[in-house]
Amino acid sequence: MRTWAWILQRASGAVLVFALGLHWVVQHHVSPGAEITFAGVHLKLQWLLYLVSDVLLLAFALFHGLNGLRTVILDFRVSPSAAAVLTVVLVLVGLGALLYGVPPIMAFLRG
Amino acid sequence: MQFTVFRFDPEVDREPRYSTYQVPVGEGTTLLEALLWIVDNVDGSLSFRYACREAICGACAMFVNGKHRLACKTQIKDLRADEVVVHPLPHLPIIKDLVVDMSGFWEKYRAIRPYLIAEGLGERELYQSHADRQAIDEMLNCILCACCYSSCPMVWTNPKYLGPAALLKAYRFAGDTRDKGGLERLKLVAGEDGVWRCHTVFNCAEACPKDINITWSIQALKRKLARAAVGLRP
Ligand code: SF4
Ligand code: SF4
Ligand code: FES
């Protein structure tokens, strides 16, 4: 389990670099509706590439950040049972934040 | 030259204190010689460990003018200082003066099974090529002085962390082509208190009086574990 946390931390870091680049290019250079008006944002938030890049960014940033936080907390004296509770809490926080964050990105998909 | 030495005798002192001594220092005088001069001529109650006097036993590690050093390998002239300030290895329990309690260090050392795991030991030659031997040359130089261990911030915050010396030794065997410990040995360093606690701070590598890049070995263990986890040959 600990080995996978380490592998995935590296993998998610690599994905984040990619997603961040994608987000930047999509957001500022190729996105339709670059103008910040209601219509512009409306247009942008219906564009699939924009949605994908932002959900990617959100999901992987959450995982990378929370997994990193777990490592930092475990650097201190933490018993195995407390570590298990910590893992569950962080997974719930991550899923909660994801469920909270994705609907606004998808807000205009439904018209 | 003035020597300021950390003193603490739990049977007498309520708090640590410092003693100062004026010690004659010549060309090539080592810190160990200076400390022995103090014991012989001024203060026989000063305690410290030493054995080999030639940087191979690891007993005389201490913290001198802000750096981890071996007393026997340190020439006073090389310190380029007007005063020598001697402390015991930081972050270890003090038994008396410069003598620290190494039991935690040895416990973690034993935990990684610091010996060759192989079949037919003593019955036939276990061949190792020159190149294979060279791959673990650096790790074999470790003299178990605990300088690295005492300098590691992860050891300070998490007393259960195996620490650099034990992990270096684990790699010394995991990277030895004759060792058959394999996954079994890797498992010993794979837990929360094993290699994953190392954040590559490199304090250990800087503190090591044998100039061993301990962090490299710890990273190599992580790589081996990661390869094993995804089904590759470690
Ligand atoms: S790795 Fe270096 S500092 Fe650590 S115990 Fe061995 S010789 Fe001492
Ligand atoms: S590199 Fe790792 S073992 Fe060495 S001091 Fe840093 S955290 Fe400790
Ligand atoms: S006395 Fe043996 S290493 Fe210094």
Side-chain angles (χ1 to χ4, degrees), chain A residues 1-7 10 70-80 83 87, chain B residues 154 156-160 190-193 196-197 199 219 222-223 225-227 229-230:
Chain A
M1 151 115 176
R2 197 56 191 83
T3 310
W4 277 105
W6 186 80
I7 294 174
R10 262 106 205 116
R70 178 175 176 274
T71 303
V72 172
I73 294 175
L74 292 186
D75 281 343
F76 299 88
R77 256 183 257 221
V78 179
S79 70
T87 306
Chain B
M154 303 322 299
W156 310 341
T157 54
N158 187 338
K160 286 194 297 183
E192 287 293 355
D193 302 321
W196 312 116
R197 291 271 73 75
H199 296 312
Q219 292 301 94
K222 289 180 189 170
R223 274 198 297 275
L225 281 163
R227 290 176 64 85
V230 298

mmCIF file of all heavy atoms in Angstrom, chain A residues 1-7 10 70-80 83 87, chain B residues 154 156-160 190-193 196-197 199 219 222-223 225-227 229-230:
data_model
loop_
_atom_site.group_PDB
_atom_site.id
_atom_site.type_symbol
_atom_site.label_atom_id
_atom_site.label_comp_id
_atom_site.label_asym_id
_atom_site.label_seq_id
_atom_site.Cartn_x
_atom_site.Cartn_y
_atom_site.Cartn_z
ATOM 1 N N MET A 1 0.839 -1.204 0.000
ATOM 2 C CA MET A 1 0.000 0.000 0.000
ATOM 3 C C MET A 1 0.869 1.247 0.000
ATOM 4 O O MET A 1 0.686 2.161 -0.777
ATOM 5 C CB MET A 1 -0.892 -0.036 1.243
ATOM 6 C CG MET A 1 -1.277 1.344 1.753
ATOM 7 S SD MET A 1 -3.026 1.601 1.617
ATOM 8 C CE MET A 1 -3.170 3.198 2.390
ATOM 9 N N ARG A 2 1.895 1.242 0.888
ATOM 10 C CA ARG A 2 2.755 2.419 0.982
ATOM 11 C C ARG A 2 3.547 2.604 -0.309
ATOM 12 O O ARG A 2 3.771 3.723 -0.759
ATOM 13 C CB ARG A 2 3.688 2.275 2.193
ATOM 14 C CG ARG A 2 4.302 3.575 2.609
ATOM 15 C CD ARG A 2 3.202 4.583 2.896
ATOM 16 N NE ARG A 2 3.753 5.931 3.047
ATOM 17 C CZ ARG A 2 4.040 6.742 2.028
ATOM 18 N NH1 ARG A 2 3.843 6.345 0.807
ATOM 19 N NH2 ARG A 2 4.531 7.946 2.247
ATOM 20 N N THR A 3 3.926 1.475 -0.907
ATOM 21 C CA THR A 3 4.669 1.550 -2.161
ATOM 22 C C THR A 3 3.813 2.191 -3.244
ATOM 23 O O THR A 3 4.270 3.042 -4.002
ATOM 24 C CB THR A 3 5.099 0.140 -2.608
ATOM 25 O OG1 THR A 3 5.734 -0.504 -1.505
ATOM 26 C CG2 THR A 3 6.069 0.200 -3.769
ATOM 27 N N TRP A 4 2.537 1.818 -3.280
ATOM 28 C CA TRP A 4 1.645 2.385 -4.289
ATOM 29 C C TRP A 4 1.390 3.864 -4.043
ATOM 30 O O TRP A 4 1.264 4.649 -4.986
ATOM 31 C CB TRP A 4 0.327 1.594 -4.349
ATOM 32 C CG TRP A 4 0.497 0.387 -5.202
ATOM 33 C CD1 TRP A 4 0.614 -0.906 -4.785
ATOM 34 C CD2 TRP A 4 0.654 0.371 -6.619
ATOM 35 N NE1 TRP A 4 0.833 -1.726 -5.868
ATOM 36 C CE2 TRP A 4 0.860 -0.970 -7.004
ATOM 37 C CE3 TRP A 4 0.652 1.344 -7.615
ATOM 38 C CZ2 TRP A 4 1.057 -1.355 -8.334
ATOM 39 C CZ3 TRP A 4 0.845 0.968 -8.930
ATOM 40 C CH2 TRP A 4 1.040 -0.373 -9.276
ATOM 41 N N ALA A 5 1.288 4.253 -2.787
ATOM 42 C CA ALA A 5 1.118 5.680 -2.491
ATOM 43 C C ALA A 5 2.280 6.475 -3.084
ATOM 44 O O ALA A 5 2.109 7.558 -3.623
ATOM 45 C CB ALA A 5 1.041 5.901 -0.984
ATOM 46 N N TRP A 6 3.465 5.889 -3.015
ATOM 47 C CA TRP A 6 4.669 6.574 -3.524
ATOM 48 C C TRP A 6 4.660 6.594 -5.050
ATOM 49 O O TRP A 6 4.901 7.622 -5.678
ATOM 50 C CB TRP A 6 5.910 5.848 -3.001
ATOM 51 C CG TRP A 6 7.205 6.513 -3.333
ATOM 52 C CD1 TRP A 6 7.761 7.578 -2.686
ATOM 53 C CD2 TRP A 6 8.117 6.156 -4.388
ATOM 54 N NE1 TRP A 6 8.961 7.901 -3.270
ATOM 55 C CE2 TRP A 6 9.206 7.054 -4.314
ATOM 56 C CE3 TRP A 6 8.112 5.177 -5.372
ATOM 57 C CZ2 TRP A 6 10.287 6.989 -5.184
ATOM 58 C CZ3 TRP A 6 9.192 5.121 -6.258
ATOM 59 C CH2 TRP A 6 10.269 6.020 -6.147
ATOM 60 N N ILE A 7 4.326 5.428 -5.651
ATOM 61 C CA ILE A 7 4.303 5.362 -7.118
ATOM 62 C C ILE A 7 3.260 6.341 -7.668
ATOM 63 O O ILE A 7 3.527 7.120 -8.584
ATOM 64 C CB ILE A 7 3.972 3.926 -7.587
ATOM 65 C CG1 ILE A 7 5.100 2.959 -7.192
ATOM 66 C CG2 ILE A 7 3.767 3.885 -9.108
ATOM 67 C CD1 ILE A 7 4.787 1.501 -7.482
ATOM 68 N N ARG A 10 4.159 10.025 -7.632
ATOM 69 C CA ARG A 10 5.004 10.415 -8.767
ATOM 70 C C ARG A 10 4.190 10.486 -10.057
ATOM 71 O O ARG A 10 4.307 11.423 -10.841
ATOM 72 C CB ARG A 10 6.156 9.423 -8.943
ATOM 73 C CG ARG A 10 7.425 9.909 -8.324
ATOM 74 C CD ARG A 10 7.772 9.187 -7.030
ATOM 75 N NE ARG A 10 8.606 10.019 -6.186
ATOM 76 C CZ ARG A 10 8.227 10.459 -5.003
ATOM 77 N NH1 ARG A 10 7.013 10.204 -4.550
ATOM 78 N NH2 ARG A 10 9.043 11.186 -4.282
ATOM 79 N N ARG A 70 -0.891 13.369 3.698
ATOM 80 C CA ARG A 70 -0.849 12.134 4.483
ATOM 81 C C ARG A 70 0.599 11.787 4.827
ATOM 82 O O ARG A 70 0.916 11.439 5.972
ATOM 83 C CB ARG A 70 -1.503 11.011 3.680
ATOM 84 C CG ARG A 70 -1.480 9.667 4.367
ATOM 85 C CD ARG A 70 -2.260 8.634 3.556
ATOM 86 N NE ARG A 70 -2.139 7.325 4.187
ATOM 87 C CZ ARG A 70 -1.125 6.494 3.954
ATOM 88 N NH1 ARG A 70 -0.166 6.838 3.139
ATOM 89 N NH2 ARG A 70 -1.082 5.327 4.576
ATOM 90 N N THR A 71 1.464 11.896 3.851
ATOM 91 C CA THR A 71 2.878 11.591 4.085
ATOM 92 C C THR A 71 3.457 12.508 5.157
ATOM 93 O O THR A 71 4.168 12.058 6.055
ATOM 94 C CB THR A 71 3.678 11.756 2.779
ATOM 95 O OG1 THR A 71 3.099 10.919 1.793
ATOM 96 C CG2 THR A 71 5.129 11.371 2.968
ATOM 97 N N VAL A 72 3.134 13.780 5.066
ATOM 98 C CA VAL A 72 3.671 14.738 6.040
ATOM 99 C C VAL A 72 3.188 14.395 7.454
ATOM 100 O O VAL A 72 3.961 14.390 8.406
ATOM 101 C CB VAL A 72 3.272 16.184 5.667
ATOM 102 C CG1 VAL A 72 3.659 17.141 6.774
ATOM 103 C CG2 VAL A 72 3.935 16.589 4.359
ATOM 104 N N ILE A 73 1.889 14.072 7.559
ATOM 105 C CA ILE A 73 1.347 13.759 8.894
ATOM 106 C C ILE A 73 1.998 12.480 9.433
ATOM 107 O O ILE A 73 2.342 12.394 10.604
ATOM 108 C CB ILE A 73 -0.190 13.620 8.834
ATOM 109 C CG1 ILE A 73 -0.808 14.979 8.484
ATOM 110 C CG2 ILE A 73 -0.743 13.116 10.173
ATOM 111 C CD1 ILE A 73 -2.307 14.949 8.283
ATOM 112 N N LEU A 74 2.191 11.493 8.551
ATOM 113 C CA LEU A 74 2.780 10.230 9.010
ATOM 114 C C LEU A 74 4.251 10.369 9.383
ATOM 115 O O LEU A 74 4.838 9.460 9.967
ATOM 116 C CB LEU A 74 2.612 9.139 7.947
ATOM 117 C CG LEU A 74 1.171 8.667 7.711
ATOM 118 C CD1 LEU A 74 1.159 7.485 6.757
ATOM 119 C CD2 LEU A 74 0.472 8.315 8.996
ATOM 120 N N ASP A 75 4.858 11.493 9.047
ATOM 121 C CA ASP A 75 6.245 11.706 9.448
ATOM 122 C C ASP A 75 6.371 11.842 10.965
ATOM 123 O O ASP A 75 7.446 11.717 11.537
ATOM 124 C CB ASP A 75 6.813 12.974 8.784
ATOM 125 C CG ASP A 75 7.212 12.711 7.349
ATOM 126 O OD1 ASP A 75 7.343 11.532 6.993
ATOM 127 O OD2 ASP A 75 7.387 13.675 6.601
ATOM 128 N N PHE A 76 5.253 12.144 11.600
ATOM 129 C CA PHE A 76 5.278 12.261 13.056
ATOM 130 C C PHE A 76 4.769 10.963 13.655
ATOM 131 O O PHE A 76 4.280 10.096 12.946
ATOM 132 C CB PHE A 76 4.444 13.464 13.492
ATOM 133 C CG PHE A 76 4.998 14.748 12.921
ATOM 134 C CD1 PHE A 76 4.610 15.197 11.672
ATOM 135 C CD2 PHE A 76 5.975 15.444 13.609
ATOM 136 C CE1 PHE A 76 5.173 16.340 11.114
ATOM 137 C CE2 PHE A 76 6.537 16.594 13.062
ATOM 138 C CZ PHE A 76 6.129 17.043 11.821
ATOM 139 N N ARG A 77 4.934 10.831 14.950
ATOM 140 C CA ARG A 77 4.514 9.608 15.609
ATOM 141 C C ARG A 77 3.021 9.343 15.401
ATOM 142 O O ARG A 77 2.192 9.972 16.039
ATOM 143 C CB ARG A 77 4.732 9.786 17.104
ATOM 144 C CG ARG A 77 5.932 9.077 17.653
ATOM 145 C CD ARG A 77 5.951 9.305 19.129
ATOM 146 N NE ARG A 77 6.948 10.314 19.422
ATOM 147 C CZ ARG A 77 7.769 10.241 20.462
ATOM 148 N NH1 ARG A 77 7.676 9.243 21.292
ATOM 149 N NH2 ARG A 77 8.655 11.189 20.662
ATOM 150 N N VAL A 78 2.671 8.465 14.506
ATOM 151 C CA VAL A 78 1.260 8.142 14.262
ATOM 152 C C VAL A 78 1.120 6.627 14.351
ATOM 153 O O VAL A 78 1.844 5.893 13.695
ATOM 154 C CB VAL A 78 0.818 8.631 12.862
ATOM 155 C CG1 VAL A 78 -0.632 8.273 12.615
ATOM 156 C CG2 VAL A 78 1.012 10.140 12.733
ATOM 157 N N SER A 79 0.171 6.157 15.181
ATOM 158 C CA SER A 79 -0.006 4.713 15.329
ATOM 159 C C SER A 79 -0.671 4.158 14.071
ATOM 160 O O SER A 79 -1.337 4.898 13.346
ATOM 161 C CB SER A 79 -0.877 4.422 16.548
ATOM 162 O OG SER A 79 -2.196 4.843 16.280
ATOM 163 N N PRO A 80 -0.509 2.853 13.797
ATOM 164 C CA PRO A 80 -1.120 2.267 12.595
ATOM 165 C C PRO A 80 -2.629 2.480 12.532
ATOM 166 O O PRO A 80 -3.173 2.750 11.462
ATOM 167 C CB PRO A 80 -0.782 0.782 12.730
ATOM 168 C CG PRO A 80 0.452 0.742 13.565
ATOM 169 C CD PRO A 80 0.344 1.895 14.505
ATOM 170 N N ALA A 83 -3.280 5.977 11.582
ATOM 171 C CA ALA A 83 -2.931 6.164 10.172
ATOM 172 C C ALA A 83 -4.079 5.676 9.288
ATOM 173 O O ALA A 83 -4.393 6.291 8.267
ATOM 174 C CB ALA A 83 -1.642 5.418 9.842
ATOM 175 N N THR A 87 -6.248 7.886 6.668
ATOM 176 C CA THR A 87 -6.413 7.555 5.253
ATOM 177 C C THR A 87 -7.885 7.653 4.855
ATOM 178 O O THR A 87 -8.223 8.270 3.834
ATOM 179 C CB THR A 87 -5.885 6.132 4.978
ATOM 180 O OG1 THR A 87 -4.541 6.062 5.447
ATOM 181 C CG2 THR A 87 -5.908 5.802 3.499
ATOM 182 N N MET B 154 14.101 13.157 9.931
ATOM 183 C CA MET B 154 12.987 12.228 10.044
ATOM 184 C C MET B 154 13.165 11.316 11.257
ATOM 185 O O MET B 154 12.182 10.875 11.852
ATOM 186 C CB MET B 154 12.858 11.385 8.773
ATOM 187 C CG MET B 154 12.696 12.183 7.487
ATOM 188 S SD MET B 154 11.673 13.651 7.676
ATOM 189 C CE MET B 154 10.142 12.909 8.165
ATOM 190 N N TRP B 156 14.476 12.410 13.996
ATOM 191 C CA TRP B 156 14.109 13.263 15.144
ATOM 192 C C TRP B 156 12.608 13.279 15.356
ATOM 193 O O TRP B 156 12.130 13.222 16.474
ATOM 194 C CB TRP B 156 14.545 14.718 14.927
ATOM 195 C CG TRP B 156 15.952 14.924 14.515
ATOM 196 C CD1 TRP B 156 16.990 14.041 14.657
ATOM 197 C CD2 TRP B 156 16.494 16.081 13.864
ATOM 198 N NE1 TRP B 156 18.131 14.591 14.137
ATOM 199 C CE2 TRP B 156 17.860 15.836 13.652
ATOM 200 C CE3 TRP B 156 15.947 17.306 13.463
ATOM 201 C CZ2 TRP B 156 18.695 16.767 13.042
ATOM 202 C CZ3 TRP B 156 16.765 18.228 12.857
ATOM 203 C CH2 TRP B 156 18.129 17.955 12.648
ATOM 204 N N THR B 157 11.827 13.406 14.238
ATOM 205 C CA THR B 157 10.383 13.567 14.408
ATOM 206 C C THR B 157 9.672 12.235 14.577
ATOM 207 O O THR B 157 8.606 12.186 15.173
ATOM 208 C CB THR B 157 9.747 14.296 13.206
ATOM 209 O OG1 THR B 157 10.109 13.607 12.007
ATOM 210 C CG2 THR B 157 10.204 15.732 13.124
ATOM 211 N N ASN B 158 10.260 11.166 14.034
ATOM 212 C CA ASN B 158 9.585 9.875 14.127
ATOM 213 C C ASN B 158 10.570 8.815 14.623
ATOM 214 O O ASN B 158 11.310 8.235 13.836
ATOM 215 C CB ASN B 158 9.027 9.483 12.750
ATOM 216 C CG ASN B 158 8.173 8.239 12.813
ATOM 217 O OD1 ASN B 158 8.289 7.438 13.744
ATOM 218 N ND2 ASN B 158 7.313 8.066 11.836
ATOM 219 N N PRO B 159 10.563 8.574 15.920
ATOM 220 C CA PRO B 159 11.560 7.669 16.498
ATOM 221 C C PRO B 159 11.459 6.243 15.985
ATOM 222 O O PRO B 159 12.367 5.444 16.204
ATOM 223 C CB PRO B 159 11.246 7.702 18.003
ATOM 224 C CG PRO B 159 10.270 8.797 18.195
ATOM 225 C CD PRO B 159 9.609 9.080 16.901
ATOM 226 N N LYS B 160 10.380 5.929 15.278
ATOM 227 C CA LYS B 160 10.264 4.565 14.773
ATOM 228 C C LYS B 160 10.902 4.394 13.392
ATOM 229 O O LYS B 160 11.105 3.281 12.923
ATOM 230 C CB LYS B 160 8.791 4.143 14.731
ATOM 231 C CG LYS B 160 8.236 3.855 16.127
ATOM 232 C CD LYS B 160 6.906 3.128 16.074
ATOM 233 C CE LYS B 160 5.855 3.952 15.412
ATOM 234 N NZ LYS B 160 4.533 3.456 15.337
ATOM 235 N N ALA B 190 9.822 -1.808 3.760
ATOM 236 C CA ALA B 190 8.735 -1.266 2.940
ATOM 237 C C ALA B 190 7.613 -0.631 3.746
ATOM 238 O O ALA B 190 6.711 -0.016 3.178
ATOM 239 C CB ALA B 190 8.158 -2.368 2.053
ATOM 240 N N GLY B 191 7.657 -0.771 5.069
ATOM 241 C CA GLY B 191 6.548 -0.276 5.890
ATOM 242 C C GLY B 191 6.559 1.237 6.035
ATOM 243 O O GLY B 191 7.419 1.925 5.494
ATOM 244 N N GLU B 192 5.583 1.735 6.792
ATOM 245 C CA GLU B 192 5.498 3.181 7.025
ATOM 246 C C GLU B 192 6.777 3.717 7.675
ATOM 247 O O GLU B 192 7.115 4.883 7.523
ATOM 248 C CB GLU B 192 4.291 3.519 7.916
ATOM 249 C CG GLU B 192 2.939 3.387 7.228
ATOM 250 C CD GLU B 192 2.717 4.406 6.118
ATOM 251 O OE1 GLU B 192 3.571 5.289 5.928
ATOM 252 O OE2 GLU B 192 1.696 4.298 5.421
ATOM 253 N N ASP B 193 7.441 2.874 8.465
ATOM 254 C CA ASP B 193 8.641 3.340 9.158
ATOM 255 C C ASP B 193 9.915 3.037 8.377
ATOM 256 O O ASP B 193 11.019 3.187 8.880
ATOM 257 C CB ASP B 193 8.726 2.697 10.548
ATOM 258 C CG ASP B 193 7.501 3.014 11.375
ATOM 259 O OD1 ASP B 193 7.034 4.159 11.283
ATOM 260 O OD2 ASP B 193 7.014 2.124 12.095
ATOM 261 N N TRP B 196 9.980 4.925 3.001
ATOM 262 C CA TRP B 196 9.062 6.005 2.587
ATOM 263 C C TRP B 196 9.138 7.223 3.487
ATOM 264 O O TRP B 196 8.654 8.293 3.126
ATOM 265 C CB TRP B 196 7.625 5.480 2.525
ATOM 266 C CG TRP B 196 7.546 4.205 1.783
ATOM 267 C CD1 TRP B 196 7.180 2.992 2.289
ATOM 268 C CD2 TRP B 196 7.894 3.979 0.416
ATOM 269 N NE1 TRP B 196 7.279 2.039 1.313
ATOM 270 C CE2 TRP B 196 7.717 2.618 0.159
ATOM 271 C CE3 TRP B 196 8.351 4.806 -0.613
ATOM 272 C CZ2 TRP B 196 7.971 2.052 -1.083
ATOM 273 C CZ3 TRP B 196 8.607 4.242 -1.840
ATOM 274 C CH2 TRP B 196 8.417 2.885 -2.074
ATOM 275 N N ARG B 197 9.708 7.073 4.656
ATOM 276 C CA ARG B 197 9.854 8.241 5.534
ATOM 277 C C ARG B 197 10.987 9.151 5.074
ATOM 278 O O ARG B 197 11.097 10.284 5.501
ATOM 279 C CB ARG B 197 10.109 7.815 6.981
ATOM 280 C CG ARG B 197 8.933 7.168 7.657
ATOM 281 C CD ARG B 197 8.004 8.162 8.347
ATOM 282 N NE ARG B 197 7.196 8.940 7.424
ATOM 283 C CZ ARG B 197 6.133 8.489 6.763
ATOM 284 N NH1 ARG B 197 5.733 7.264 6.909
ATOM 285 N NH2 ARG B 197 5.464 9.259 5.948
ATOM 286 N N HIS B 199 12.776 11.729 3.009
ATOM 287 C CA HIS B 199 12.375 12.769 2.059
ATOM 288 C C HIS B 199 13.573 13.359 1.333
ATOM 289 O O HIS B 199 13.571 14.524 0.959
ATOM 290 C CB HIS B 199 11.574 13.843 2.779
ATOM 291 C CG HIS B 199 10.287 13.314 3.344
ATOM 292 N ND1 HIS B 199 9.429 12.551 2.601
ATOM 293 C CD2 HIS B 199 9.737 13.394 4.564
ATOM 294 C CE1 HIS B 199 8.394 12.205 3.347
ATOM 295 N NE2 HIS B 199 8.567 12.692 4.550
ATOM 296 N N GLN B 219 17.030 5.654 -2.045
ATOM 297 C CA GLN B 219 16.248 5.807 -3.279
ATOM 298 C C GLN B 219 16.296 4.521 -4.105
ATOM 299 O O GLN B 219 15.306 4.140 -4.727
ATOM 300 C CB GLN B 219 16.777 6.987 -4.101
ATOM 301 C CG GLN B 219 16.537 8.345 -3.462
ATOM 302 C CD GLN B 219 15.073 8.626 -3.231
ATOM 303 O OE1 GLN B 219 14.553 8.373 -2.153
ATOM 304 N NE2 GLN B 219 14.385 9.127 -4.231
ATOM 305 N N LYS B 222 13.789 2.247 -2.792
ATOM 306 C CA LYS B 222 12.445 2.650 -3.227
ATOM 307 C C LYS B 222 12.199 2.165 -4.654
ATOM 308 O O LYS B 222 11.119 1.649 -4.965
ATOM 309 C CB LYS B 222 12.305 4.172 -3.179
ATOM 310 C CG LYS B 222 12.243 4.763 -1.779
ATOM 311 C CD LYS B 222 12.096 6.274 -1.871
ATOM 312 C CE LYS B 222 12.254 6.925 -0.505
ATOM 313 N NZ LYS B 222 12.358 8.389 -0.615
ATOM 314 N N ARG B 223 13.194 2.330 -5.503
ATOM 315 C CA ARG B 223 13.041 1.883 -6.891
ATOM 316 C C ARG B 223 12.790 0.383 -6.946
ATOM 317 O O ARG B 223 11.922 -0.094 -7.670
ATOM 318 C CB ARG B 223 14.293 2.223 -7.695
ATOM 319 C CG ARG B 223 14.298 3.636 -8.275
ATOM 320 C CD ARG B 223 15.315 3.753 -9.406
ATOM 321 N NE ARG B 223 16.671 3.521 -8.932
ATOM 322 C CZ ARG B 223 17.435 4.470 -8.391
ATOM 323 N NH1 ARG B 223 16.957 5.692 -8.256
ATOM 324 N NH2 ARG B 223 18.658 4.209 -7.971
ATOM 325 N N LEU B 225 11.458 -1.488 -4.645
ATOM 326 C CA LEU B 225 10.106 -1.768 -4.157
ATOM 327 C C LEU B 225 9.063 -1.414 -5.211
ATOM 328 O O LEU B 225 8.088 -2.140 -5.411
ATOM 329 C CB LEU B 225 9.852 -0.980 -2.866
ATOM 330 C CG LEU B 225 10.469 -1.608 -1.612
ATOM 331 C CD1 LEU B 225 10.535 -0.601 -0.484
ATOM 332 C CD2 LEU B 225 9.653 -2.830 -1.189
ATOM 333 N N ALA B 226 9.262 -0.280 -5.875
ATOM 334 C CA ALA B 226 8.301 0.141 -6.895
ATOM 335 C C ALA B 226 8.278 -0.863 -8.041
ATOM 336 O O ALA B 226 7.211 -1.228 -8.538
ATOM 337 C CB ALA B 226 8.644 1.536 -7.404
ATOM 338 N N ARG B 227 9.457 -1.337 -8.447
ATOM 339 C CA ARG B 227 9.510 -2.328 -9.524
ATOM 340 C C ARG B 227 8.789 -3.602 -9.101
ATOM 341 O O ARG B 227 8.020 -4.178 -9.885
ATOM 342 C CB ARG B 227 10.964 -2.637 -9.887
ATOM 343 C CG ARG B 227 11.673 -1.488 -10.591
ATOM 344 C CD ARG B 227 13.128 -1.831 -10.831
ATOM 345 N NE ARG B 227 13.281 -2.956 -11.737
ATOM 346 C CZ ARG B 227 13.282 -2.826 -13.068
ATOM 347 N NH1 ARG B 227 13.188 -1.638 -13.600
ATOM 348 N NH2 ARG B 227 13.406 -3.888 -13.831
ATOM 349 N N ALA B 229 6.384 -3.849 -6.978
ATOM 350 C CA ALA B 229 4.947 -3.597 -6.862
ATOM 351 C C ALA B 229 4.251 -3.686 -8.211
ATOM 352 O O ALA B 229 3.106 -4.127 -8.300
ATOM 353 C CB ALA B 229 4.696 -2.234 -6.221
ATOM 354 N N VAL B 230 4.922 -3.252 -9.280
ATOM 355 C CA VAL B 230 4.270 -3.305 -10.587
ATOM 356 C C VAL B 230 4.606 -4.588 -11.335
ATOM 357 O O VAL B 230 4.320 -4.723 -12.525
ATOM 358 C CB VAL B 230 4.639 -2.073 -11.466
ATOM 359 C CG1 VAL B 230 4.171 -0.794 -10.815
ATOM 360 C CG2 VAL B 230 6.136 -2.023 -11.735
#
